[in-house]
Coordinates of all heavy atoms in Angstrom, one line a residue:
E55 N 13.3 17.7 7.5 CA 13.0 19.1 7.3 C 11.9 19.5 8.5 O 11.5 20.5 8.5 CB 12.3 19.3 6.0 CG 13.2 19.1 4.8 CD 12.6 19.5 3.5 OE1 11.3 19.7 3.5 OE2 13.3 19.6 2.5
R272 N 10.1 34.3 3.4 CA 11.0 34.0 2.4 C 10.7 32.7 1.6 O 11.4 32.4 0.6 CB 12.4 34.0 2.8 CG 12.9 35.3 3.2 CD 14.3 35.3 3.9 NE 14.7 36.6 4.5 CZ 15.9 36.7 5.1 NH1 16.7 35.7 5.3 NH2 16.2 37.9 5.6
N273 N 9.7 32.1 2.1 CA 9.1 30.8 1.4 C 10.1 29.7 1.4 O 10.2 28.8 0.5 CB 8.7 31.1 -0.1 CG 7.7 32.2 -0.2 OD1 7.0 32.6 0.8 ND2 7.5 32.7 -1.3
I274 N 11.0 29.5 2.4 CA 12.0 28.6 2.5 C 11.7 27.4 3.6 O 12.4 26.4 3.5 CB 13.4 29.1 2.8 CG1 13.4 30.0 4.1 CG2 13.9 30.0 1.6 CD1 14.8 30.5 4.5
I275 N 10.7 27.6 4.3 CA 10.3 26.6 5.3 C 9.0 26.0 5.2 O 8.4 25.4 6.1 CB 10.6 27.0 6.7 CG1 9.7 28.3 7.0 CG2 12.1 27.5 6.9 CD1 9.8 28.7 8.5
L276 N 8.3 26.2 4.1 CA 6.9 25.7 3.9 C 7.0 24.3 3.5 O 8.0 23.8 2.9 CB 6.2 26.5 2.9 CG 6.0 28.0 3.1 CD1 5.0 28.5 2.0 CD2 5.5 28.3 4.5
Y281 N 3.4 24.2 -2.0 CA 3.9 24.9 -3.2 C 3.0 24.4 -4.4 O 3.1 25.1 -5.5 CB 5.3 24.8 -3.5 CG 6.2 25.2 -2.4 CD1 7.0 24.3 -1.7 CD2 6.3 26.6 -2.0 CE1 7.9 24.7 -0.6 CE2 7.1 27.0 -1.0 CZ 7.9 26.0 -0.3 OH 8.7 26.6 0.6
A357 N 7.8 28.3 -4.2 CA 9.0 28.0 -3.4 C 10.2 28.9 -3.8 O 10.3 29.3 -5.0 CB 9.4 26.5 -3.7
A358 N 10.9 29.3 -2.9 CA 12.1 30.2 -3.1 C 13.2 29.4 -3.7 O 13.3 28.1 -3.5 CB 12.6 30.8 -1.8
N359 N 13.9 30.1 -4.5 CA 15.1 29.4 -5.3 C 16.0 28.8 -4.3 O 16.7 27.8 -4.5 CB 15.8 30.3 -6.2 CG 14.9 30.7 -7.4 OD1 14.1 29.9 -7.9 ND2 15.1 31.9 -7.9
G360 N 16.1 29.4 -3.1 CA 17.2 28.9 -2.1 C 16.6 28.0 -1.1 O 17.3 27.6 -0.2
R361 N 15.4 27.4 -1.3 CA 14.8 26.5 -0.3 C 15.6 25.2 -0.1 O 15.9 24.8 1.0 CB 13.3 26.1 -0.6 CG 12.7 25.3 0.4 CD 11.4 24.7 0.0 NE 10.7 24.0 1.1 CZ 11.0 22.8 1.4 NH1 12.0 22.0 0.8 NH2 10.4 22.2 2.5
R362 N 16.0 24.6 -1.2 CA 16.7 23.4 -1.2 C 18.1 23.6 -0.4 O 18.4 22.7 0.4 CB 16.9 22.8 -2.5 CG 17.7 21.4 -2.7 CD 17.7 20.9 -4.0 NE 18.4 19.6 -4.0 CZ 19.8 19.5 -4.1 NH1 20.5 20.6 -4.3 NH2 20.3 18.3 -4.2
G363 N 18.8 24.7 -0.8 CA 20.0 24.9 -0.1 C 19.8 25.2 1.4 O 20.7 24.8 2.2
F364 N 18.8 25.9 1.7 CA 18.5 26.2 3.1 C 18.3 24.9 3.9 O 18.9 24.7 5.0 CB 17.3 27.1 3.3 CG 16.9 27.3 4.7 CD1 17.5 28.2 5.5 CD2 15.9 26.6 5.2 CE1 17.1 28.4 6.8 CE2 15.5 26.7 6.5 CZ 16.1 27.7 7.3
M365 N 17.5 24.1 3.3 CA 17.1 22.8 4.0 C 18.3 22.0 4.2 O 18.5 21.2 5.2 CB 16.0 22.1 3.3 CG 14.6 22.7 3.6 SD 14.1 22.8 5.4 CE 12.5 23.4 5.2
I366 N 19.3 21.9 3.3 CA 20.4 21.1 3.4 C 21.3 21.7 4.6 O 21.8 20.9 5.4 CB 21.3 21.2 2.1 CG1 20.6 20.4 1.0 CG2 22.7 20.7 2.3 CD1 21.2 20.5 -0.4
L367 N 21.4 22.9 4.7 CA 22.2 23.6 5.7 C 21.4 23.4 7.1 O 22.1 23.0 8.2 CB 22.3 25.0 5.6 CG 23.1 25.5 4.3 CD1 23.2 27.0 4.2 CD2 24.6 24.9 4.5
Y368 N 20.1 23.4 7.1 CA 19.3 23.1 8.3 C 19.6 21.8 8.9 O 19.6 21.5 10.1 CB 17.8 23.3 8.1 CG 16.9 22.9 9.2 CD1 16.9 23.5 10.4 CD2 16.1 21.8 9.0 CE1 16.1 23.1 11.5 CE2 15.3 21.3 10.1 CZ 15.3 21.9 11.3 OH 14.5 21.5 12.3
K369 N 19.7 20.8 8.0 CA 19.9 19.4 8.4 C 21.3 19.1 9.0 O 21.5 18.2 9.8 CB 19.7 18.5 7.1 CG 18.3 18.5 6.6 CD 18.2 17.6 5.3 CE 16.9 17.8 4.6 NZ 16.9 17.2 3.3

Side-chain angles (χ1 to χ4, degrees):
E55 293 184 351
R272 290 176 187 175
N273 303 343
I274 55 176
I275 62 171
L276 301 188
Y281 303 116
N359 291 331
R361 184 190 186 280
R362 183 173 179 273
F364 172 84
M365 284 300 183
I366 289 173
L367 294 176
Y368 169 68
K369 295 171 188 176

